[in-house]
Amino acid sequence: MWKPDRSTRKPIYQQITDYMERRISFGEFPPGSVLPSERKLANLLGVNRSTVVLAYEELRASGIVESAQGSGTRVTKHKWGLTPKQTPNWKTYVEGGTFLPNLPFIRRIREELRKKTGIIDFASGELSNDLFPADTIRSLLQEHPFLGQLGYEDPQGYRPLRQTLVSFLEEHLQIQSTDASILITSGSQQSLYLITQCLLSPNDAVAIEDPSYSYSLPMFQSAGLRLFRLPVDEHGINPEDIITLYRQHRIRMIFLNPNFQNPTGSIMATERRIRLLEIASELGIPIVEDDPFTLTALDGNPPPTLKSLDKTGNVLYIGSLSKIAASGLRIGWLLAPQTVVDRLTDARQQMDFGLSTIPQWIAEQFISEGHFENHLKTLRRELEKKRNEMVRGLQTIMGDYMSYTLPQGGLNLWCKINREVDDFKLLDEAIKRGVLFVPGSVYGSDQGHIRISFARPHFDEILPGLSYLKEALDIHCK
Amino acid sequence: MWKPDRSTRKPIYQQITDYMERRISFGEFPPGSVLPSERKLANLLGVNRSTVVLAYEELRASGIVESAQGSGTRVTKHKWGLTPKQTPNWKTYVEGGTFLPNLPFIRRIREELRKKTGIIDFASGELSNDLFPADTIRSLLQEHPFLGQLGYEDPQGYRPLRQTLVSFLEEHLQIQSTDASILITSGSQQSLYLITQCLLSPNDAVAIEDPSYSYSLPMFQSAGLRLFRLPVDEHGINPEDIITLYRQHRIRMIFLNPNFQNPTGSIMATERRIRLLEIASELGIPIVEDDPFTLTALDGNPPPTLKSLDKTGNVLYIGSLSKIAASGLRIGWLLAPQTVVDRLTDARQQMDFGLSTIPQWIAEQFISEGHFENHLKTLRRELEKKRNEMVRGLQTIMGDYMSYTLPQGGLNLWCKINREVDDFKLLDEAIKRGVLFVPGSVYGSDQGHIRISFARPHFDEILPGLSYLKEALDIHCK
């Protein structure tokens, strides 16, 4: 959001006056509506309350707002502007739309991160900046002239990247594919979005893991889908549950993250995978395998993917570079039958006209020139160090507050809090103390779980972050 | 789509056998379904029919398909695979979804272009490759080390780019903004998409120009909107029509492209703009100003934008680099009140997690280092040459087949055909002869109009393309 610019000569209060005047004149605060309290606005903008008092005073002086004892500061009903014109009431517009907003928890966390106050981030499921292959990418950019095209790229994705991915998938994950069956998307997120928008219809029943990252995504509700849950234990979901759900609700698709599941970190047991594929095949139900983490396997022996075991073509496979190289490249891929790829390509062309060639070209160079393997070795080593530090901290700092299972890959630890807690209040306390995490209820789990990322904080932040979290727990559970 | 690889040793027919077997085993052709005829598949894959005959023979030999006199080649009902397993019937999946496919015309044109047969392209509303600032971008990439981040970018867009755009919009288009009121999107397309998904609800009535680019976008129908038309004459739409539509249908938003309107090329008259803004303001209706072309004004005097005349904040302004620099950067922007920007930022984060920093960083450098001005001068000069060549060709080649108004900017010529024609058949004939255009009915216009781009073909292709088009007209109108 907007913040005053402290590098210019214009006084802060004057900047705030102009800013609020613009918001009022643009209809965000229609005539008669109440402005945020001085204290609240001061808080939002990171200024002293007295500065906002001055700004509101200016607005009052020019007749744009008026104050009434006890009812705050209101936009003047009839005086402002030259004529009593109406601007659109934007509030009613932003409350419309078929696409639903993010959960309040997620928005809260994002806002805290945008403030850049130096809060310790155990919330983002992302690598820390020092783990991205920044030097390699910088030298790729400088040493190899970009000869790709600057016109609209094929909306299915830059073909050399798709061709490179065919070998990549074969070599690292034993997955067979052709470049025609690959769609390049803006991370896994866009693959999921396209599937929910284009292959499923409102009221369709789908099965998702419980707890699950999918649960945190209003995109399922936005598409009007009915969600049914497959409980996850330490060996993943139980395939027989699918039969029950199918009988009861005719589920049309299953969304799974079998390796280092988000958030629990669990790996689906092999015999369950085999049974799952049998069942899906017998019932003719597609499985969407969301697979961001397999290659992070800390011991260098990634568990098999469902797709590599899939003999009947029931699995739509989603991968990406986000968690294993750099999320900021926005490179993900969907592997699917060609009819599906064609349909989704057509839709995404309408939504965003495809991705820029440039990051696709970088990803292609990064993989085909052999940089990925070296990077991955370093990444695993560093992730293991961080995971161990996090575990050490949990043991030494947390006492018996939390239990967890040691994750063998992925970026997160899923912790059970051995006390009665309220997610939201705990997050509040934690933020006050300078640490962020994701409450378990975001993933549809019962109260009493939290997800903490060991990948995102810098190594040196891990122990301090845990101490702050411990303080928050102390307050909350006292 | 997939094509046989002529560089390997594997015989083409064998490649086709494997390819079809994979499609069958992946459920695109479920048991009992009919395969494409040999002739049709041969055509699609660009091979001799005899090659497909061989491939189908192979599939028959292995029991995967069977032939019956007169009913083509069918996938065997019960024999193939080890067990009578079901794969998902992908056809029913791809026919579902709330998001509608592109119009058949558009898909047809795109397929022709993907074949890369050297067809002359008067269809794409895009610059030709020689008009992109490729050398500048290449040297920016090589000379300036990329120091941006490789993690998730702010989904609202790379802040230095938003700040640079504030000056850009002020300097080139006399539009006032702040970086907080700018959302960076994947071209204008994504801005439109986000607006239709997040600010409007199913059954809302909206007004669009007739004819209009918007009409070619199933995204409006996908969002369940009811579309009402504002006829465009040589001076744009008539603002009084809005009052009528508002009374009858309570329209909630107006989508306009006032400068060098796509497809007609018309410029909205100043007095109409003023009246339009008055009406929108009185009725409290937002106007979405889609403005890709203003800076292409061939005489270097761009007409004013609606946004620059907007005193009450009714206009949501959409711009992009696609038509004035490079479509492949995928850089567009939406200027809107902060509540709107916040809502759309939140939604796009769920859809694609935001754009990669890298193209945003390139765009920022390109503009802030002063390259844009030089590029724009060259661009205008070259576009003027091409437009003049196109007009010369129309005069010398077309005789009295077509009438048109000379466009002063934009990338297209809107032509009325002075005969009775069927859009679709004419396109068919034109493709046979090696030239593509967009039939007017794609834009919701009556039969008898076509849009031809003078920007996309190379200079030397313009006259030959028109000759082919003339031949197609001759056949069709004989």
Side-chain angles (χ1 to χ4, degrees):
Chain A
M1 71 167 281
W2 181 85
K3 295 273 174 185
D5 181 352
R6 290 174 193 276
S7 65
T8 67
R9 284 187 179 189
K10 195 171 180 180
I12 306 285
Y13 85 90
Q14 191 58 58
Q15 292 182 44
I16 297 175
T17 311
D18 291 356
Y19 165 68
M20 291 305 289
E21 191 174 338
R22 183 184 298 268
R23 291 182 70 178
I24 293 167
S25 80
F26 275 22
E28 277 188 54
F29 298 103
S33 66
V34 181
L35 296 189
S37 74
E38 287 151 354
R39 188 178 308 277
K40 190 172 168 203
L41 186 63
N43 234 327
L44 281 168
L45 300 179
V47 300
N48 288 328
R49 181 166 169 241
S50 58
T51 313
V52 177
V53 170
L54 274 178
Y56 278 15
E57 193 46 51
E58 282 279 298
L59 292 172
R60 253 189 300 277
S62 49
I64 295 172
V65 306
E66 52 197 10
S67 305
Q69 197 60 38
S71 72
T73 307
R74 282 175 186 278
V75 179
T76 313
K77 275 219 174 105
H78 296 296
K79 287 181 195 155
W80 68 280
L82 292 172
T83 52
K85 287 188 175 172
Q86 289 181 39
T87 48
N89 186 343
W90 294 112
K91 281 200 201 302
T92 67
Y93 281 91
V94 301
E95 284 159 9
T98 42
F99 198 82
L100 300 171
N102 259 312
L103 301 176
F105 267 150
I106 306 258
R107 281 182 287 162
R108 173 90 197 276
I109 290 168
R110 201 175 64 208
E111 267 163 40
E112 289 299 329
L113 288 171
R114 284 183 99 183
K115 285 189 197 158
K116 305 208 168 166
T117 50
I119 199 163
I120 294 178
D121 181 10
F122 291 172
S124 305
E126 187 186 17
L127 302 176
S128 52
N129 292 331
D130 57 324
L131 297 183
F132 298 130
D135 292 337
T136 312
I137 286 177
R138 213 168 288 135
S139 45
L140 279 178
L141 279 168
Q142 294 202 270
E143 287 158 24
H144 298 234
F146 172 69
L147 298 173
Q149 60 149 4
L150 287 167
Y152 293 115
E153 185 50 76
D154 182 340
Q156 191 184 336
Y158 179 52
R159 193 159 178 228
L161 174 60
R162 289 188 276 127
Q163 289 167 329
T164 295
L165 285 173
V166 171
S167 329
F168 176 91
L169 290 169
E170 162 98 57
E171 189 180 326
H172 291 282
L173 297 157
Q174 294 77 54
I175 292 175
Q176 307 290 324
S177 63
T178 62
D179 67 88
S181 58
I182 294 176
L183 170 67
I184 307 292
T185 56
S186 176
S188 335
Q189 192 87 1
Q190 195 179 27
S191 289
L192 286 172
Y193 181 62
L194 288 168
I195 290 170
T196 56
Q197 287 290 313
C198 303
L199 302 182
L200 294 165
S201 302
N203 284 319
D204 275 356
V206 302
I208 63 173
E209 293 158 320
D210 171 19
S212 162
Y213 172 67
S214 299
Y215 194 84
S216 73
L217 303 174
M219 67 165 82
F220 288 86
Q221 282 92 346
S222 299
L225 304 176
R226 288 178 300 139
L227 300 182
F228 296 96
R229 293 160 181 239
L230 299 167
V232 173
D233 65 25
E234 57 189 311
H235 304 296
I237 62 143
N238 183 341
E240 309 303 325
D241 291 347
I242 289 170
I243 300 179
T244 321
L245 286 187
Y246 183 77
R247 285 200 186 122
Q248 289 173 351
H249 308 289
R250 296 280 139 180
I251 48 168
R252 291 204 75 214
M253 207 173 270
I254 306 164
F255 291 82
L256 297 179
N257 167 199
N259 289 339
F260 314 122
Q261 199 252 356
N262 186 359
T264 63
S266 71
I267 303 176
M268 194 175 185
T270 311
E271 58 281 13
R272 289 193 181 183
R273 288 176 200 241
I274 292 166
R275 182 71 185 125
L276 167 68
L277 288 167
E278 267 174 21
I279 292 172
S281 173
E282 268 158 31
L283 302 177
I285 307 178
I287 300 169
V288 176
E289 180 178 25
D290 185 10
D291 187 37
F293 303 122
T294 294
L295 295 180
T296 62
L298 296 178
D299 63 1
N301 285 314
T305 60
L306 283 179
K307 185 69 203 163
S308 66
L309 305 170
D310 171 31
K311 303 273 180 273
T312 49
N314 282 66
V315 178
L316 303 179
Y317 177 83
I318 298 175
S320 94
L321 289 182
S322 298
K323 314 294 185 189
I324 54 175
S327 42
L329 288 175
R330 308 303 311 115
I331 299 294
W333 47 84
L334 172 71
L335 187 57
Q338 203 175 321
T339 10
V340 173
V341 169
D342 288 347
R343 166 78 164 105
L344 302 192
T345 299
D346 178 79
R348 84 87 60 86
Q349 194 228 16
Q350 294 183 62
M351 294 172 181
D352 64 14
F353 249 95
L355 291 179
S356 170
T357 315
I358 298 165
Q360 300 190 71
W361 168 76
I362 295 171
E364 195 281 320
Q365 299 268 308
F366 182 67
I367 297 171
S368 70
E369 304 254 318
H371 300 294
F372 178 74
E373 283 74 11
N374 285 334
H375 160 74
L376 186 62
K377 265 182 220 154
T378 318
L379 178 65
R380 282 174 175 153
R381 195 181 57 226
E382 296 302 317
L383 283 178
E384 187 168 19
K385 277 192 208 161
K386 284 178 154 190
R387 182 206 56 179
N388 294 347
E389 180 77 351
M390 187 65 98
V391 166
R392 192 166 74 88
L394 285 172
Q395 286 164 352
T396 55
I397 296 169
M398 283 295 165
D400 65 347
Y401 266 136
M402 294 197 190
S403 355
Y404 54 87
T405 312
L406 190 70
Q408 305 302 321
L411 313 183
N412 307 303
L413 260 154
W414 179 243
C415 301
K416 182 174 179 311
I417 300 173
N418 300 321
R419 298 282 197 287
E420 269 207 10
V421 280
D422 173 317
D423 277 0
F424 188 72
K425 287 188 186 154
L426 182 63
L427 183 63
D428 245 12
E429 290 295 340
I431 288 172
K432 276 188 211 156
R433 280 161 181 77
V435 65
L436 275 174
F437 62 86
V438 187
S441 53
V442 165
Y443 306 109
S445 132
D446 296 337
Q447 291 275 332
H449 286 85
I450 65 172
R451 191 195 79 170
I452 51 182
S453 160
F454 54 83
R456 183 62 183 167
H458 284 269
F459 188 87
D460 297 338
E461 293 175 325
I462 292 178
L463 297 186
L466 286 175
S467 302
Y468 303 155
L469 186 53
K470 166 77 163 36
E471 287 170 30
L473 277 161
D474 282 341
I475 291 285
H476 193 70
C477 303
K478 71 167 180 254
Chain B
M1 70 169 283
W2 181 85
K3 295 275 174 183
D5 181 350
R6 292 173 191 276
S7 65
T8 68
R9 283 186 181 193
K10 191 169 182 183
I12 305 284
Y13 86 90
Q14 192 56 61
Q15 293 183 43
I16 297 174
T17 311
D18 292 356
Y19 165 68
M20 290 306 289
E21 192 174 339
R22 183 183 299 268
R23 291 182 69 179
I24 292 167
S25 80
F26 275 22
E28 276 186 57
F29 299 102
S33 67
V34 181
L35 295 190
S37 74
E38 288 152 352
R39 190 179 304 279
K40 192 173 167 199
L41 187 61
N43 233 327
L44 280 169
L45 301 178
V47 301
N48 288 329
R49 183 170 166 236
S50 57
T51 314
V52 177
V53 170
L54 275 177
Y56 278 14
E57 193 46 52
E58 282 279 298
L59 293 172
R60 252 188 301 277
S62 49
I64 294 172
V65 305
E66 53 196 9
S67 303
Q69 198 58 41
S71 71
T73 308
R74 281 175 188 281
V75 180
T76 314
K77 277 223 172 102
H78 297 296
K79 290 180 195 157
W80 69 279
L82 293 172
T83 51
K85 287 186 173 171
Q86 290 179 39
T87 48
N89 186 341
W90 293 112
K91 280 200 202 302
T92 67
Y93 282 90
V94 300
E95 283 159 9
T98 43
F99 198 81
L100 301 172
N102 258 313
L103 301 176
F105 268 147
I106 307 258
R107 281 183 286 162
R108 173 89 197 276
I109 291 168
R110 200 175 64 208
E111 268 163 39
E112 289 299 328
L113 288 171
R114 284 183 99 182
K115 284 188 197 158
K116 304 206 172 172
T117 50
I119 200 166
I120 293 177
D121 181 9
F122 291 172
S124 305
E126 190 186 14
L127 301 176
S128 52
N129 293 331
D130 57 325
L131 296 184
F132 298 131
D135 292 337
T136 312
I137 287 176
R138 213 168 289 135
S139 46
L140 278 179
L141 279 167
Q142 295 201 269
E143 287 158 23
H144 298 233
F146 173 69
L147 300 173
Q149 61 150 2
L150 287 168
Y152 293 115
E153 184 50 76
D154 182 339
Q156 191 184 337
Y158 180 51
R159 192 160 180 226
L161 174 59
R162 290 187 276 127
Q163 289 167 327
T164 295
L165 284 173
V166 171
S167 328
F168 176 91
L169 290 169
E170 161 99 55
E171 191 181 324
H172 291 283
L173 297 157
Q174 293 78 54
I175 292 174
Q176 307 289 324
S177 62
T178 63
D179 68 87
S181 59
I182 294 177
L183 171 66
I184 307 293
T185 56
S186 176
S188 334
Q189 192 86 0
Q190 196 178 27
S191 290
L192 286 172
Y193 181 62
L194 289 167
I195 290 169
T196 57
Q197 287 290 314
C198 304
L199 303 182
L200 294 164
S201 302
N203 286 319
D204 276 356
V206 302
I208 63 172
E209 293 157 320
D210 171 20
S212 161
Y213 173 67
S214 299
Y215 194 83
S216 73
L217 303 174
M219 68 165 81
F220 288 87
Q221 281 92 349
S222 299
L225 304 177
R226 290 179 296 141
L227 300 182
F228 296 97
R229 294 160 179 236
L230 299 166
V232 173
D233 64 27
E234 56 189 311
H235 304 297
I237 62 144
N238 183 342
E240 307 304 325
D241 291 347
I242 290 169
I243 299 179
T244 319
L245 285 186
Y246 183 77
R247 287 202 185 123
Q248 289 172 353
H249 309 289
R250 294 281 138 179
I251 49 170
R252 290 202 76 215
M253 207 174 271
I254 306 164
F255 291 81
L256 298 178
N257 168 199
N259 289 339
F260 313 123
Q261 199 255 354
N262 186 358
T264 63
S266 71
I267 303 175
M268 194 175 187
T270 310
E271 58 281 12
R272 289 193 181 182
R273 291 177 197 239
I274 292 166
R275 182 69 184 128
L276 167 69
L277 289 167
E278 266 176 20
I279 292 171
S281 173
E282 267 158 32
L283 303 176
I285 307 177
I287 299 169
V288 176
E289 179 178 26
D290 185 9
D291 188 37
F293 303 122
T294 294
L295 294 181
T296 61
L298 297 179
D299 62 0
N301 284 314
T305 61
L306 282 179
K307 186 67 201 165
S308 66
L309 305 170
D310 172 30
K311 304 272 179 276
T312 49
N314 280 66
V315 177
L316 303 178
Y317 177 84
I318 298 175
S320 95
L321 288 182
S322 298
K323 313 295 184 188
I324 54 174
S327 40
L329 288 175
R330 310 302 312 117
I331 299 294
W333 47 85
L334 172 70
L335 187 58
Q338 203 175 322
T339 10
V340 172
V341 168
D342 288 347
R343 166 76 165 107
L344 302 192
T345 298
D346 178 79
R348 84 87 58 88
Q349 195 228 17
Q350 294 185 61
M351 295 174 182
D352 65 14
F353 249 95
L355 292 179
S356 170
T357 315
I358 299 166
Q360 301 190 70
W361 168 77
I362 295 171
E364 195 280 319
Q365 298 268 311
F366 181 68
I367 297 172
S368 70
E369 304 255 316
H371 300 294
F372 178 74
E373 283 74 12
N374 285 333
H375 161 74
L376 186 62
K377 265 183 219 154
T378 318
L379 178 66
R380 282 175 176 155
R381 196 182 55 226
E382 296 302 317
L383 283 177
E384 187 168 18
K385 277 191 207 159
K386 285 179 151 188
R387 181 205 58 180
N388 293 347
E389 181 76 351
M390 187 65 98
V391 165
R392 191 167 75 88
L394 285 171
Q395 285 165 352
T396 54
I397 296 169
M398 284 296 166
D400 65 347
Y401 266 135
M402 295 196 189
S403 358
Y404 54 87
T405 312
L406 189 72
Q408 305 301 322
L411 312 182
N412 307 302
L413 258 155
W414 179 243
C415 302
K416 182 175 179 308
I417 299 172
N418 300 320
R419 299 278 199 288
E420 268 206 13
V421 281
D422 174 318
D423 276 359
F424 187 72
K425 288 187 185 152
L426 183 63
L427 182 63
D428 245 14
E429 291 295 339
I431 288 172
K432 277 189 209 155
R433 280 161 182 78
V435 65
L436 276 173
F437 63 84
V438 186
S441 54
V442 164
Y443 305 109
S445 131
D446 296 335
Q447 291 276 334
H449 286 85
I450 65 173
R451 191 195 78 170
I452 51 181
S453 160
F454 54 83
R456 181 62 184 167
H458 284 270
F459 187 86
D460 297 339
E461 293 175 326
I462 292 178
L463 297 186
L466 286 175
S467 300
Y468 303 155
L469 186 53
K470 167 75 162 36
E471 287 169 30
L473 277 162
D474 281 341
I475 292 285
H476 193 71
C477 303
K478 74 169 177 246

